[in-house]
Amino acid sequence: MDSFKIIGGQRLQGSIEISGSKNACLPMLAATLLLDGKGTLGNVPQLRDVDTILLLLRELGVDASQNGGDLTYEVTDQTVVEAPYDIVRRMRASICVLGPLLARRQAAVVSLPGGCVFGDRPIDLHLMGLRALGAEINMVHGSLVASVGAAGLRGAAIDLGSEFGSTVLGTMNVMMAACLARGETKITHAAREPEVVELIQFLNKCGAQISGAGTSTLTINGVEKLSACNYQIPADRIEAATLLIAGAITGGDITISNCIPSHLTAVTSALQQCGYNLEANGNEIRIDATSVSAVAHSIETAPYPGFPTDVQAQWMALCTQIDGDSRLTDHIYPERFMHVSELQRLGANLQREGNQVVAHGPCRLSGAEVMASDLRASAALVLAGLVASGETLIRRVYHLDRGYQKLEHKLRLLGANVQRVVDETSP
Ligand code: EPZ
């Protein structure tokens, strides 16, 4: 398992291009199960999670071939309906094949996705919505065994609201199934994330009839069939946020390009509240953190357009370097604090209080050997390593490779001293 070796202390400078969005790409790839004919996806990020879902889709009869960021797809076998545990257990987003399989093949066997290191991740809303469309779903030996009667799926009124707001993948799963259901489906308390909007645009380009994109009420009029199309994956807003914070934490001056500033307003306004200078220009955002003495700014995560839970860990790393006490509250995943103990090993002064952490800054961090645990916690350790004195060795960076394309390369282009230490003994 590879590691990152980081020598801290470099101020990042220069410009870097953001890669395609993991969380837009994964559901779009699952949606190919709904489609007839051959299509292409452009700007597909090269990530472990993309490799995983392609492995799963090939098991499910999808021909997919890649040439750099371009991917050609075509469903060539509609008979397979079982998503094997060995693949599903690697990535929770695999659950997104359930809706498309039910809609297109009237049956599905998908092993229950594992939990995550940051706590329970139920799928009750996914199942409630698909059952409302007429699916019968039972749990048999750890797998969801689902089927649709001869009458097929039929439209329904479905409320996906939860105490956490809504469910992103749940909205996508139910919406994809509703595309081929008979009649109208209305989903209330739907997720409004940009990745949901992109999936709607993709599906409508394939012939679906979905309205309400970006709002919490979606209306889907079922159609007979959907045809494959060509589509460009949008930039990854979480990678963009992570790199902006890299510029902030090192007191640097960087520009991120090929991003979508309107997807990032919760993070860019939080950075501005700290006193960092940001300016957006088209698909670029520049952050100038040189000679800024930032002030502490607390955040609370919320569904889009609120502060993303996927940036909470990275924000915590930044708060360790800012004068004052910052309170970070995660309402989406109250246990998403795997990064706390590892940041403390680097010298951070953090106090956990239930679903909150208070970061007392500024703290001089010193390099140490730390362990990556989940995707965004690992990103937080990289950010801390960029400012820790001496050498930080981050083990198990395969967690990072799940969601960041060549992060060490991007950071080196900005002047960071980051090397990947390849572990020849294991992949
Ligand atoms: C998506 O996960 C993202 N993953 C996550 O990003 C992200 O953290 C999350 O949305 C929240 O924004 C992908 O898009 C692949 P949810 P998802 O269902 O859809 C509760 C990353 O780092 N809930 O929106 O699985 C749940 O417990 C990953 O890129 C139910 O109660 O998240 C949570 O508290 C990590 N019942 C809240 O809703 C359900 O049936 C939001 O979860 C489903 C969810």
Coordinates of all heavy atoms in Angstrom, one line a residue, residues 49-144:
D49 N -12.4 4.6 -7.4 CA -13.8 4.4 -7.4 C -14.4 4.2 -8.8 O -15.4 3.4 -9.0 CB -14.5 5.5 -6.6 CG -14.5 5.3 -5.1 OD1 -13.9 4.3 -4.7 OD2 -15.1 6.1 -4.4
V50 N -13.9 4.9 -9.8 CA -14.3 4.7 -11.2 C -14.0 3.3 -11.7 O -14.8 2.6 -12.2 CB -13.8 5.8 -12.1 CG1 -14.1 5.6 -13.5 CG2 -14.3 7.2 -11.7
D51 N -12.7 2.9 -11.3 CA -12.3 1.5 -11.7 C -13.3 0.5 -11.1 O -13.7 -0.4 -11.7 CB -10.9 1.3 -11.2 CG -9.9 2.2 -11.9 OD1 -10.2 2.8 -12.9 OD2 -8.8 2.3 -11.3
T52 N -13.7 0.8 -9.8 CA -14.6 -0.2 -9.1 C -15.9 -0.3 -9.8 O -16.4 -1.4 -10.0 CB -14.7 0.2 -7.6 OG1 -13.4 0.2 -7.0 CG2 -15.6 -0.7 -6.9
I53 N -16.5 0.9 -10.1 CA -17.9 0.8 -10.7 C -17.8 0.3 -12.1 O -18.7 -0.5 -12.5 CB -18.6 2.2 -10.6 CG1 -20.1 1.9 -10.8 CG2 -18.1 3.2 -11.6 CD1 -21.0 3.0 -10.3
L54 N -16.7 0.5 -12.8 CA -16.6 -0.1 -14.2 C -16.4 -1.6 -14.1 O -17.0 -2.4 -14.9 CB -15.4 0.5 -14.9 CG -15.6 2.0 -15.4 CD1 -14.3 2.5 -16.0 CD2 -16.7 2.1 -16.4
L55 N -15.7 -2.1 -13.0 CA -15.6 -3.5 -12.8 C -17.0 -4.1 -12.6 O -17.4 -5.1 -13.2 CB -14.8 -3.7 -11.5 CG -14.1 -5.1 -11.3 CD1 -13.2 -5.5 -12.4 CD2 -13.4 -5.0 -9.9
L56 N -17.8 -3.4 -11.8 CA -19.2 -3.9 -11.5 C -20.0 -3.8 -12.7 O -20.7 -4.8 -13.0 CB -19.8 -3.0 -10.4 CG -21.2 -3.2 -10.0 CD1 -21.4 -4.6 -9.5 CD2 -21.6 -2.2 -8.9
L57 N -20.0 -2.8 -13.5 CA -20.8 -2.6 -14.7 C -20.4 -3.7 -15.7 O -21.3 -4.2 -16.4 CB -20.7 -1.2 -15.3 CG -21.3 -0.1 -14.4 CD1 -21.0 1.3 -15.0 CD2 -22.8 -0.3 -14.2
R58 N -19.2 -4.0 -15.8 CA -18.8 -5.1 -16.8 C -19.4 -6.4 -16.4 O -19.8 -7.2 -17.2 CB -17.2 -5.1 -16.9 CG -16.7 -3.9 -17.7 CD -15.2 -3.9 -17.7 NE -14.7 -2.7 -18.5 CZ -13.8 -1.8 -18.0 NH1 -13.3 -2.0 -16.8 NH2 -13.5 -0.7 -18.7
E59 N -19.4 -6.6 -15.1 CA -20.1 -7.9 -14.6 C -21.6 -7.9 -14.9 O -22.2 -8.9 -15.1 CB -20.0 -7.9 -13.0 CG -18.6 -8.2 -12.4 CD -18.3 -9.7 -12.5 OE1 -19.2 -10.5 -12.3 OE2 -17.1 -10.0 -12.7
L60 N -22.1 -6.7 -15.1 CA -23.6 -6.5 -15.4 C -23.9 -6.3 -16.8 O -24.9 -5.8 -17.2 CB -24.1 -5.3 -14.5 CG -24.1 -5.6 -13.0 CD1 -24.4 -4.3 -12.3 CD2 -25.1 -6.7 -12.6
G61 N -22.9 -6.6 -17.7 CA -23.2 -6.6 -19.1 C -22.9 -5.3 -19.8 O -23.5 -5.1 -20.9
V62 N -22.2 -4.4 -19.2 CA -21.9 -3.1 -19.9 C -20.4 -3.2 -20.5 O -19.5 -3.5 -19.8 CB -21.9 -1.9 -18.9 CG1 -21.6 -0.6 -19.6 CG2 -23.3 -1.8 -18.3
D63 N -20.3 -3.0 -21.8 CA -19.0 -2.8 -22.4 C -18.5 -1.4 -22.2 O -19.3 -0.5 -22.5 CB -19.2 -3.1 -23.9 CG -18.9 -4.5 -24.3 OD1 -18.5 -5.3 -23.4 OD2 -19.0 -4.8 -25.5
A64 N -17.4 -1.3 -21.5 CA -16.9 0.1 -21.3 C -15.4 0.1 -21.6 O -14.7 -0.8 -21.2 CB -17.1 0.5 -19.9
S65 N -15.0 1.0 -22.5 CA -13.6 1.1 -22.8 C -13.1 2.6 -22.6 O -13.9 3.5 -22.9 CB -13.3 0.7 -24.2 OG -14.1 1.5 -25.1
Q66 N -11.9 2.7 -22.1 CA -11.4 4.1 -21.7 C -10.2 4.4 -22.6 O -9.4 3.6 -22.9 CB -11.0 4.1 -20.3 CG -12.2 4.1 -19.3 CD -11.7 4.1 -17.8 OE1 -11.3 3.0 -17.3 NE2 -11.6 5.2 -17.2
N67 N -10.1 5.7 -22.9 CA -8.9 6.2 -23.6 C -8.7 7.6 -22.9 O -9.3 8.6 -23.2 CB -9.2 6.4 -25.1 CG -8.0 7.1 -25.8 OD1 -6.9 7.2 -25.2 ND2 -8.2 7.5 -27.0
G68 N -7.8 7.5 -21.9 CA -7.6 8.7 -21.0 C -8.9 9.0 -20.3 O -9.5 8.2 -19.7
G69 N -9.3 10.3 -20.5 CA -10.6 10.7 -19.8 C -11.8 10.4 -20.6 O -12.9 10.7 -20.2
D70 N -11.6 9.8 -21.8 CA -12.8 9.5 -22.6 C -13.2 8.1 -22.4 O -12.4 7.2 -22.4 CB -12.5 9.8 -24.1 CG -12.3 11.2 -24.4 OD1 -12.9 12.1 -23.7 OD2 -11.4 11.6 -25.2
L71 N -14.5 7.9 -22.2 CA -15.0 6.5 -22.0 C -16.2 6.2 -22.9 O -17.1 7.1 -23.1 CB -15.5 6.4 -20.5 CG -16.1 5.1 -20.1 CD1 -15.6 4.8 -18.6 CD2 -17.6 5.0 -20.1
T72 N -16.1 5.1 -23.6 CA -17.2 4.6 -24.5 C -18.0 3.5 -23.8 O -17.4 2.6 -23.2 CB -16.7 4.1 -25.8 OG1 -15.9 5.2 -26.4 CG2 -17.8 3.7 -26.8
Y73 N -19.3 3.6 -23.8 CA -20.1 2.6 -23.1 C -21.2 2.0 -23.9 O -21.8 2.7 -24.8 CB -20.7 3.1 -21.8 CG -21.7 4.3 -22.0 CD1 -23.1 4.0 -22.2 CD2 -21.3 5.6 -22.0 CE1 -24.0 5.0 -22.5 CE2 -22.2 6.6 -22.3 CZ -23.5 6.3 -22.5 OH -24.4 7.3 -22.8
E74 N -21.6 0.8 -23.7 CA -22.7 0.2 -24.4 C -23.2 -1.1 -23.6 O -22.3 -1.9 -23.2 CB -22.4 -0.3 -25.8 CG -23.6 -0.9 -26.6 CD -23.2 -1.2 -28.0 OE1 -22.0 -1.2 -28.4 OE2 -24.2 -1.5 -28.8
V75 N -24.5 -1.2 -23.3 CA -25.0 -2.4 -22.7 C -25.1 -3.5 -23.7 O -25.8 -3.3 -24.7 CB -26.3 -2.1 -22.0 CG1 -26.9 -3.4 -21.4 CG2 -26.2 -1.0 -20.9
T76 N -24.4 -4.6 -23.5 CA -24.5 -5.7 -24.5 C -25.1 -6.9 -24.0 O -25.4 -7.9 -24.7 CB -23.0 -6.0 -25.0 OG1 -22.3 -6.3 -23.8 CG2 -22.4 -4.8 -25.7
D77 N -25.4 -7.0 -22.7 CA -26.0 -8.2 -22.1 C -27.0 -7.7 -21.0 O -26.6 -7.2 -20.0 CB -24.9 -9.1 -21.5 CG -25.6 -10.3 -20.8 OD1 -26.8 -10.4 -20.8 OD2 -24.8 -11.2 -20.3
Q78 N -28.3 -7.9 -21.2 CA -29.3 -7.5 -20.2 C -29.7 -8.6 -19.3 O -30.6 -8.4 -18.4 CB -30.6 -7.1 -21.0 CG -30.4 -5.9 -21.9 CD -30.5 -4.6 -21.2 OE1 -30.5 -4.5 -20.0 NE2 -30.4 -3.5 -22.0
T79 N -29.0 -9.7 -19.3 CA -29.5 -10.9 -18.5 C -29.0 -10.9 -17.1 O -29.6 -11.5 -16.2 CB -29.1 -12.2 -19.2 OG1 -27.6 -12.2 -19.3 CG2 -29.7 -12.3 -20.6
V80 N -27.8 -10.3 -16.9 CA -27.2 -10.4 -15.5 C -27.9 -9.4 -14.6 O -28.0 -8.2 -15.0 CB -25.7 -10.2 -15.6 CG1 -25.1 -10.4 -14.2 CG2 -25.0 -11.0 -16.6
V81 N -28.3 -9.9 -13.4 CA -28.9 -8.9 -12.5 C -28.2 -8.9 -11.1 O -28.6 -8.3 -10.2 CB -30.4 -9.2 -12.3 CG1 -31.1 -9.0 -13.6 CG2 -30.6 -10.6 -11.7
E82 N -27.1 -9.7 -11.0 CA -26.5 -9.8 -9.6 C -25.2 -9.0 -9.6 O -24.3 -9.2 -10.4 CB -26.2 -11.3 -9.3 CG -25.4 -11.4 -7.9 CD -25.7 -12.7 -7.2 OE1 -26.4 -13.5 -7.8 OE2 -25.3 -12.8 -6.0
A83 N -25.2 -8.1 -8.6 CA -24.0 -7.3 -8.3 C -23.2 -8.0 -7.2 O -23.7 -8.0 -6.1 CB -24.4 -5.9 -7.9
P84 N -22.0 -8.5 -7.5 CA -21.3 -9.4 -6.5 C -20.8 -8.6 -5.3 O -20.4 -7.5 -5.4 CB -20.2 -9.9 -7.3 CG -20.1 -9.3 -8.6 CD -21.3 -8.5 -8.8
Y85 N -20.9 -9.3 -4.1 CA -20.5 -8.7 -2.9 C -19.1 -8.2 -2.9 O -18.8 -7.1 -2.5 CB -20.7 -9.7 -1.7 CG -20.0 -9.2 -0.4 CD1 -20.6 -8.2 0.3 CD2 -18.8 -9.8 0.0 CE1 -20.1 -7.8 1.5 CE2 -18.2 -9.3 1.2 CZ -18.9 -8.3 1.9 OH -18.3 -7.9 3.1
D86 N -18.2 -9.0 -3.6 CA -16.8 -8.6 -3.5 C -16.5 -7.2 -4.1 O -15.6 -6.6 -3.7 CB -16.0 -9.7 -4.3 CG -14.5 -9.3 -4.4 OD1 -13.9 -9.0 -3.3 OD2 -13.9 -9.2 -5.5
I87 N -17.4 -6.8 -5.0 CA -17.2 -5.5 -5.6 C -18.0 -4.4 -4.9 O -17.5 -3.4 -4.5 CB -17.6 -5.5 -7.1 CG1 -16.8 -6.5 -7.9 CG2 -17.4 -4.1 -7.7 CD1 -17.2 -6.7 -9.4
V88 N -19.2 -4.8 -4.6 CA -20.1 -3.8 -3.9 C -19.5 -3.4 -2.5 O -19.6 -2.2 -2.1 CB -21.5 -4.4 -3.7 CG1 -22.4 -3.4 -2.8 CG2 -22.2 -4.6 -5.0
R89 N -18.8 -4.3 -1.8 CA -18.3 -4.0 -0.5 C -17.2 -2.9 -0.6 O -17.0 -2.2 0.4 CB -17.7 -5.3 0.2 CG -16.4 -5.7 -0.5 CD -15.8 -6.9 0.2 NE -14.7 -7.5 -0.5 CZ -13.5 -6.9 -0.5 NH1 -13.3 -5.8 0.2 NH2 -12.5 -7.4 -1.2
R90 N -16.6 -2.7 -1.8 CA -15.5 -1.7 -1.8 C -16.0 -0.3 -1.9 O -15.3 0.6 -1.6 CB -14.7 -2.0 -3.1 CG -14.1 -3.4 -3.2 CD -13.3 -3.5 -4.5 NE -13.2 -4.9 -4.9 CZ -12.6 -5.3 -6.0 NH1 -12.1 -4.5 -6.8 NH2 -12.6 -6.6 -6.3
M91 N -17.3 -0.2 -2.3 CA -17.7 1.2 -2.6 C -19.3 1.3 -2.4 O -20.0 0.7 -3.1 CB -17.3 1.6 -4.0 CG -17.7 3.1 -4.3 SD -17.2 3.4 -6.0 CE -18.3 2.4 -6.9
R92 N -19.7 2.1 -1.5 CA -21.1 2.3 -1.1 C -21.9 2.8 -2.3 O -23.1 2.4 -2.5 CB -21.2 3.3 0.0 CG -22.6 3.7 0.4 CD -22.6 4.8 1.4 NE -23.8 5.5 1.4 CZ -24.9 5.1 1.9 NH1 -25.0 3.9 2.3 NH2 -26.0 5.8 1.8
A93 N -21.3 3.6 -3.2 CA -22.0 4.1 -4.4 C -22.5 3.0 -5.3 O -23.4 3.2 -6.2 CB -21.2 5.1 -5.1
S94 N -22.0 1.8 -5.1 CA -22.5 0.6 -5.9 C -24.0 0.5 -5.8 O -24.6 -0.1 -6.7 CB -21.8 -0.6 -5.5 OG -20.4 -0.5 -5.5
I95 N -24.5 0.9 -4.7 CA -26.0 0.8 -4.5 C -26.8 1.4 -5.6 O -28.0 1.1 -5.8 CB -26.4 1.3 -3.1 CG1 -27.8 0.9 -2.7 CG2 -26.3 2.8 -3.0 CD1 -28.0 -0.6 -2.4
C96 N -26.2 2.3 -6.3 CA -26.8 3.0 -7.4 C -27.2 2.2 -8.6 O -27.9 2.7 -9.5 CB -25.9 4.2 -7.9 SG -26.3 5.7 -7.0
V97 N -26.7 0.9 -8.6 CA -27.1 0.1 -9.7 C -28.5 -0.5 -9.5 O -29.2 -1.0 -10.4 CB -26.1 -1.0 -10.0 CG1 -24.7 -0.4 -10.3 CG2 -26.0 -2.0 -8.9
L98 N -29.0 -0.4 -8.2 CA -30.3 -1.1 -7.9 C -31.4 -0.5 -8.7 O -32.2 -1.3 -9.3 CB -30.5 -1.0 -6.3 CG -31.7 -1.6 -5.7 CD1 -31.7 -3.1 -6.0 CD2 -31.8 -1.4 -4.2
G99 N -31.6 0.8 -8.7 CA -32.7 1.4 -9.4 C -32.7 1.1 -10.8 O -33.7 0.6 -11.4
P100 N -31.6 1.3 -11.5 CA -31.5 1.1 -13.0 C -31.8 -0.4 -13.3 O -32.5 -0.7 -14.3 CB -30.1 1.5 -13.3 CG -29.7 2.5 -12.4 CD -30.4 2.1 -11.1
L101 N -31.2 -1.4 -12.5 CA -31.5 -2.8 -12.8 C -33.0 -3.1 -12.7 O -33.5 -3.8 -13.5 CB -30.7 -3.7 -11.8 CG -29.2 -3.7 -12.1 CD1 -28.5 -4.5 -11.0 CD2 -28.9 -4.4 -13.5
L102 N -33.6 -2.6 -11.6 CA -35.0 -2.8 -11.4 C -35.8 -2.3 -12.6 O -36.7 -2.9 -13.1 CB -35.5 -2.2 -10.1 CG -35.3 -3.0 -8.9 CD1 -35.6 -2.2 -7.6 CD2 -36.1 -4.3 -8.9
A103 N -35.5 -1.1 -13.0 CA -36.3 -0.4 -14.1 C -36.1 -1.1 -15.4 O -37.0 -1.2 -16.2 CB -35.8 1.1 -14.2
R104 N -34.8 -1.5 -15.7 CA -34.5 -2.0 -17.1 C -34.6 -3.5 -17.2 O -34.9 -4.0 -18.2 CB -33.1 -1.5 -17.4 CG -32.8 -1.8 -18.9 CD -33.5 -0.9 -19.9 NE -33.2 -1.1 -21.3 CZ -33.6 -2.2 -22.0 NH1 -34.4 -3.1 -21.4 NH2 -33.2 -2.3 -23.2
R105 N -34.3 -4.2 -16.0 CA -34.3 -5.7 -16.1 C -35.3 -6.4 -15.2 O -35.3 -7.5 -15.0 CB -32.8 -6.2 -15.8 CG -31.8 -5.6 -16.8 CD -30.4 -6.1 -16.5 NE -29.5 -5.3 -17.4 CZ -28.1 -5.4 -17.3 NH1 -27.6 -6.3 -16.6 NH2 -27.4 -4.6 -18.1
Q106 N -36.1 -5.5 -14.4 CA -37.1 -6.0 -13.5 C -36.6 -6.9 -12.4 O -37.4 -7.6 -11.7 CB -38.2 -6.7 -14.3 CG -39.1 -5.8 -15.2 CD -38.4 -5.3 -16.5 OE1 -37.8 -6.1 -17.2 NE2 -38.4 -4.0 -16.6
A107 N -35.3 -6.9 -12.2 CA -34.8 -7.7 -11.1 C -33.4 -7.2 -10.7 O -32.7 -6.6 -11.6 CB -34.8 -9.2 -11.4
A108 N -33.0 -7.5 -9.5 CA -31.7 -7.1 -9.0 C -31.3 -7.8 -7.8 O -32.2 -8.1 -6.9 CB -31.6 -5.6 -8.8
V109 N -30.1 -8.2 -7.7 CA -29.5 -8.8 -6.4 C -28.3 -8.0 -6.1 O -27.3 -8.1 -6.8 CB -29.2 -10.3 -6.5 CG1 -28.6 -10.8 -5.2 CG2 -30.4 -11.1 -6.9
V110 N -28.4 -7.1 -5.1 CA -27.2 -6.3 -4.8 C -26.9 -6.5 -3.3 O -27.7 -6.3 -2.4 CB -27.6 -4.8 -5.0 CG1 -26.4 -3.9 -4.7 CG2 -28.1 -4.6 -6.4
S111 N -25.6 -6.8 -3.0 CA -25.3 -7.0 -1.6 C -25.4 -5.7 -0.9 O -25.1 -4.6 -1.5 CB -23.9 -7.6 -1.5 OG -23.0 -6.7 -1.9
L112 N -25.8 -5.8 0.4 CA -25.9 -4.6 1.2 C -24.6 -3.9 1.3 O -23.6 -4.5 1.6 CB -26.4 -4.9 2.6 CG -27.3 -3.9 3.3 CD1 -28.5 -3.5 2.4 CD2 -27.7 -4.5 4.6
P113 N -24.4 -2.6 0.9 CA -23.1 -1.9 1.0 C -22.6 -1.9 2.4 O -23.4 -1.8 3.3 CB -23.4 -0.5 0.4 CG -24.8 -0.3 0.5 CD -25.5 -1.6 0.5
G114 N -21.3 -1.9 2.6 CA -20.8 -1.9 3.9 C -21.0 -0.5 4.5 O -21.4 0.4 3.8
G115 N -20.7 -0.4 5.8 CA -20.8 1.0 6.4 C -19.5 1.7 6.0 O -18.8 1.3 5.1
C116 N -19.3 2.8 6.7 CA -18.1 3.5 6.4 C -17.3 3.8 7.7 O -17.9 3.6 8.8 CB -18.4 4.9 5.8 SG -18.2 4.9 4.1
V117 N -16.1 4.2 7.6 CA -15.3 4.4 8.8 C -16.0 5.6 9.6 O -15.7 5.8 10.8 CB -13.9 4.8 8.5 CG1 -13.1 3.5 8.2 CG2 -13.7 5.8 7.5
F118 N -16.8 6.4 8.9 CA -17.4 7.5 9.6 C -18.8 7.2 10.0 O -19.7 8.1 10.1 CB -17.2 8.9 8.9 CG -17.6 8.9 7.5 CD1 -19.0 9.0 7.1 CD2 -16.7 8.9 6.5 CE1 -19.4 9.1 5.8 CE2 -17.1 9.0 5.2 CZ -18.4 9.1 4.8
G119 N -19.1 6.0 10.3 CA -20.4 5.7 10.9 C -21.4 5.0 10.0 O -21.2 4.7 8.8
D120 N -22.6 4.9 10.5 CA -23.7 4.1 9.9 C -24.1 4.9 8.6 O -24.1 6.1 8.6 CB -24.9 4.1 10.8 CG -26.0 3.3 10.2 OD1 -25.7 2.5 9.3 OD2 -27.2 3.6 10.6
R121 N -24.3 4.2 7.5 CA -24.8 4.8 6.3 C -26.0 4.0 5.8 O -25.9 3.2 4.9 CB -23.7 5.0 5.3 CG -22.6 5.9 5.8 CD -21.5 6.2 4.8 NE -22.0 7.0 3.7 CZ -21.3 7.3 2.7 NH1 -20.0 6.9 2.6 NH2 -21.7 8.0 1.7
P122 N -27.2 4.3 6.4 CA -28.4 3.5 6.0 C -28.8 3.7 4.6 O -28.4 4.7 3.9 CB -29.4 4.0 7.0 CG -29.0 5.4 7.3 CD -27.5 5.3 7.3
I123 N -29.6 2.8 4.1 CA -30.2 3.0 2.7 C -31.7 2.8 2.8 O -32.4 2.5 1.8 CB -29.6 2.0 1.7 CG1 -29.8 0.5 2.2 CG2 -28.1 2.2 1.4 CD1 -29.6 -0.5 1.1
D124 N -32.3 3.0 4.0 CA -33.7 2.9 4.1 C -34.5 3.7 3.2 O -35.6 3.3 2.7 CB -34.1 3.1 5.6 CG -33.7 4.5 6.0 OD1 -32.5 4.9 5.9 OD2 -34.5 5.3 6.5
L125 N -34.0 4.9 2.9 CA -34.8 5.8 2.0 C -34.7 5.3 0.5 O -35.7 5.4 -0.2 CB -34.2 7.3 2.1 CG -34.4 7.9 3.5 CD1 -33.6 9.2 3.6 CD2 -35.9 8.2 3.8
H126 N -33.6 4.8 0.2 CA -33.5 4.2 -1.2 C -34.6 3.1 -1.3 O -35.3 3.1 -2.3 CB -32.2 3.5 -1.4 CG -30.9 4.3 -1.4 ND1 -30.1 4.4 -2.4 CD2 -30.4 5.1 -0.4 CE1 -29.1 5.2 -2.1 NE2 -29.2 5.6 -0.9
L127 N -34.7 2.2 -0.3 CA -35.6 1.1 -0.4 C -37.0 1.5 -0.3 O -37.9 1.0 -1.1 CB -35.3 0.1 0.8 CG -33.8 -0.5 0.8 CD1 -33.6 -1.5 1.9 CD2 -33.4 -1.0 -0.6
M128 N -37.3 2.5 0.5 CA -38.7 3.0 0.7 C -39.1 3.6 -0.7 O -40.2 3.3 -1.2 CB -38.7 4.1 1.7 CG -40.0 4.8 2.0 SD -40.3 6.2 0.8 CE -39.2 7.4 1.4
G129 N -38.2 4.3 -1.4 CA -38.6 5.0 -2.6 C -38.9 3.9 -3.7 O -39.8 4.0 -4.5
L130 N -38.0 2.9 -3.8 CA -38.1 1.9 -4.8 C -39.3 1.0 -4.6 O -40.0 0.6 -5.5 CB -36.8 1.1 -4.9 CG -35.6 1.8 -5.4 CD1 -34.3 1.0 -5.2 CD2 -35.7 2.3 -6.8
R131 N -39.6 0.7 -3.3 CA -40.8 0.0 -3.0 C -42.1 0.8 -3.4 O -43.1 0.2 -3.9 CB -40.9 -0.4 -1.5 CG -39.9 -1.5 -1.2 CD -39.8 -1.8 0.3 NE -39.0 -3.0 0.6 CZ -38.1 -3.0 1.6 NH1 -37.9 -1.9 2.4 NH2 -37.4 -4.1 1.9
A132 N -42.0 2.1 -3.2 CA -43.2 2.9 -3.5 C -43.5 2.9 -5.0 O -44.6 3.0 -5.5 CB -42.9 4.4 -3.1
L133 N -42.4 2.6 -5.8 CA -42.6 2.5 -7.3 C -43.1 1.1 -7.7 O -43.3 0.8 -8.8 CB -41.2 2.8 -8.0 CG -40.7 4.2 -7.9 CD1 -39.3 4.3 -8.5 CD2 -41.6 5.2 -8.6
G134 N -43.2 0.2 -6.7 CA -43.7 -1.1 -6.9 C -42.7 -2.3 -6.9 O -43.0 -3.4 -7.2
A135 N -41.5 -2.0 -6.4 CA -40.5 -3.0 -6.3 C -40.7 -3.8 -5.1 O -41.2 -3.3 -4.1 CB -39.1 -2.4 -6.3
E136 N -40.5 -5.2 -5.2 CA -40.5 -6.0 -4.0 C -39.0 -6.2 -3.6 O -38.2 -6.7 -4.5 CB -41.2 -7.3 -4.2 CG -41.3 -8.1 -2.9 CD -42.0 -9.5 -3.1 OE1 -42.8 -9.6 -4.1 OE2 -41.7 -10.4 -2.3
I137 N -38.6 -5.9 -2.4 CA -37.2 -6.0 -2.0 C -37.1 -6.7 -0.7 O -37.7 -6.3 0.3 CB -36.5 -4.6 -1.9 CG1 -36.8 -3.7 -3.2 CG2 -35.0 -4.7 -1.7 CD1 -36.2 -2.3 -3.1
N138 N -36.3 -7.8 -0.7 CA -36.1 -8.5 0.6 C -34.6 -8.7 0.8 O -33.8 -8.6 -0.1 CB -36.8 -9.9 0.5 CG -38.3 -9.8 0.3 OD1 -39.0 -9.2 1.2 ND2 -38.8 -10.2 -0.8
M139 N -34.3 -8.8 2.1 CA -32.9 -9.0 2.4 C -32.7 -10.5 2.6 O -33.3 -11.2 3.4 CB -32.6 -8.3 3.7 CG -31.3 -8.7 4.3 SD -30.0 -7.7 3.8 CE -29.7 -7.0 5.4
V140 N -31.8 -11.1 1.8 CA -31.5 -12.5 1.9 C -30.0 -12.8 2.0 O -29.3 -12.4 1.1 CB -32.1 -13.3 0.6 CG1 -31.8 -14.7 0.7 CG2 -33.6 -13.0 0.4
H141 N -29.6 -13.3 3.1 CA -28.1 -13.6 3.3 C -27.3 -12.4 3.0 O -26.3 -12.5 2.2 CB -27.7 -14.8 2.5 CG -28.5 -16.0 2.7 ND1 -28.7 -16.5 4.0 CD2 -29.1 -16.8 1.8 CE1 -29.5 -17.6 3.9 NE2 -29.7 -17.8 2.6
G142 N -27.6 -11.2 3.5 CA -26.8 -10.0 3.3 C -26.9 -9.3 2.0 O -26.2 -8.3 1.7
S143 N -27.8 -9.8 1.1 CA -28.1 -9.2 -0.2 C -29.5 -8.7 -0.3 O -30.4 -9.3 0.3 CB -27.8 -10.2 -1.3 OG -26.4 -10.3 -1.5
L144 N -29.6 -7.6 -1.0 CA -31.0 -7.2 -1.4 C -31.4 -7.9 -2.6 O -30.8 -7.8 -3.6 CB -30.9 -5.6 -1.6 CG -30.5 -4.8 -0.5 CD1 -30.1 -3.4 -0.9 CD2 -31.6 -4.7 0.6

